[in-house]
Amino acid sequence: MARQLILVEGLPGSGKSTVARMVSDILNQQGLRVQLYQEGDLNHPADYEGVAFYSADEFGELWGAHVAYRDVLESRSIAYRNGYLIPYRKIKEELGGAFPNHVIQEIFSRDIYELPFERNKDLITSKWRSFTESVLAANEDTVIIFECCFIQNPLTMGLVKCNQSREDNVNYVLELERMVQALNPLLIYIDQKDIAHTFDKAVKERPKEWSEGFIQYYTNQGWGASRGYHGVPGTVKVLQARKELETEIYHMLRMDKYWLDNSEYDLSACQNELESILNKAFPDVEGE
């Protein structure tokens, strides 16, 4: 079976973005056709970024409340099942100040990752199902690389935001696994054992707005809020809980997988190991 999907996962600051790019570069050098989708990609084929979902009634209310922007909402919204998808970040990028922030903020309240857990899961799993079907129908030899959306996003939603049960979170990821099995996926999980150091490193390397928003997200709702966690120490405790669950799920997955140790925080040292992983994952290419 041709391998058509590679999934790169790990905690924030573990090096997912760098490893995903390294995997893409190695496969390109081997002569394979590659498509890389990283976190935040507005055109992600299996996930949603900057997209809201409104039921038909809710969309009617939104449309009626913003008469001046009816044409924008009507022309750029996508009818989907019993409602509408609104790619509000794409609209904002295209129109800028012509589509005001107060409208964007209202639409953001219905972002797919702000919805209740079951509605989120329903929309996301449907997107993954459509993605797999489209790849199989295309019958091409492109290898698709996803960063972080396979394990991280479901657990961020189910554990961090909504404090769902262990079973709910595990089953969410296992359902995604069943959907992509036909693509013969490979999972690369990047492990860093010192979570406090990893998070501190991410805070130092990224904008202040990122760390403040991340800490608020991890401690003001869901699992963190239920335990009264606050600040950086509380965020680290939530990340530790997430890591424990991710590790458990990793061992339950039946797809090809590799646990990549980046405890030394030197991804350049992982180059040879990644090449070895990918040579084993694509033996026909190695033998050419």
Side-chain angles (χ1 to χ4, degrees):
M1 188 194 312
R3 190 180 304 279
Q4 296 176 277
L5 180 63
I6 296 178
L7 305 161
V8 180
E9 296 284 341
L11 293 183
S14 62
K16 296 187 300 296
S17 297
T18 302
V19 167
R21 289 192 296 269
M22 290 171 69
V23 170
S24 178
D25 290 343
I26 292 169
L27 295 182
N28 274 314
Q29 290 167 9
Q30 292 180 345
L32 291 172
R33 297 170 58 188
V34 178
Q35 289 182 354
L36 169 61
Y37 295 94
Q38 296 196 274
E39 187 172 10
D41 194 316
L42 298 184
N43 297 304
H44 202 290
D47 199 19
Y48 291 104
E49 179 68 32
V51 179
F53 178 78
Y54 279 73
S55 69
D57 289 343
E58 291 166 342
F59 185 79
E61 293 175 3
L62 178 72
W63 191 77
H66 298 287
V67 177
Y69 307 104
R70 283 182 176 180
D71 289 345
V72 173
L73 293 170
E74 200 166 34
S75 63
R76 289 169 173 80
S77 298
I78 304 162
Y80 184 73
R81 298 167 78 175
N82 61 337
Y84 293 87
L85 297 170
I86 305 178
Y88 62 89
R89 279 190 56 192
K90 280 188 176 182
I91 296 172
K92 185 63 176 177
E93 285 190 359
E94 180 183 348
L95 300 181
F99 199 61
N101 288 333
H102 74 273
V103 180
I104 292 292
Q105 286 301 313
E106 181 175 345
I107 295 173
F108 170 76
S109 68
R110 301 293 301 169
D111 184 279
I112 287 172
Y113 281 97
E114 295 295 323
L115 298 177
F117 177 77
E118 289 300 335
R119 174 60 66 86
N120 168 272
K121 181 181 175 183
D122 178 53
L123 289 164
I124 296 296
T125 53
S126 179
K127 187 79 178 284
W128 278 86
R129 187 181 299 108
S130 297
F131 160 72
T132 299
E133 291 171 352
S134 67
V135 172
L136 295 175
N139 195 28
E140 297 177 350
D141 58 0
T142 302
V143 180
I144 300 168
I145 304 169
F146 288 162
E147 174 205 343
C148 86
C149 60
F150 176 69
I151 296 178
Q152 172 178 288
N153 288 4
L155 294 195
T156 299
M157 184 70 188
L159 176 71
V160 179
K161 180 176 176 57
C162 299
N163 195 23
Q164 295 293 126
S165 69
R166 170 197 169 277
E167 289 74 19
D168 285 341
N169 289 302
V170 169
N171 289 336
Y172 192 167
V173 180
L174 294 184
E175 185 172 351
L176 296 184
E177 180 191 30
R178 289 191 292 271
M179 291 178 180
V180 299
Q181 279 292 8
L183 303 181
N184 191 16
L186 167 68
L187 169 66
I188 299 173
Y189 189 93
I190 309 164
D191 178 36
Q192 289 189 336
K193 296 177 176 60
D194 189 341
I195 294 175
H197 179 82
T198 300
F199 184 62
D200 182 62
K201 175 173 172 285
V203 168
K204 290 177 180 178
E205 293 176 349
R206 301 183 186 187
K208 183 179 179 181
E209 293 77 15
W210 178 88
S211 59
E212 290 178 347
F214 193 97
I215 291 168
Q216 180 178 2
Y217 191 94
Y218 267 61
T219 59
N220 287 10
Q221 59 184 343
W223 200 87
S226 73
R227 285 153 178 79
Y229 292 156
H230 301 285
V232 172
T235 303
V236 170
K237 289 181 179 179
V238 182
L239 284 168
Q240 289 170 337
R242 185 184 132 187
K243 173 67 178 298
E244 290 174 6
L245 188 53
E246 289 186 4
T247 302
E248 181 180 352
I249 290 172
Y250 174 90
H251 291 293
M252 297 174 70
L253 295 170
R254 297 182 179 182
M255 64 175 64
D256 290 342
K257 58 197 176 187
Y258 195 90
W259 191 266
L260 182 66
D261 185 1
N262 187 30
S263 295
E264 299 300 321
Y265 305 94
D266 181 11
L267 284 169
S268 62
C270 297
Q271 178 78 24
N272 290 338
E273 191 170 1
L274 278 174
E275 290 178 353
S276 176
I277 294 168
L278 295 171
N279 285 335
K280 294 175 182 176
F282 296 91
D284 293 340
V285 175
E286 181 188 19
E288 289 179 358

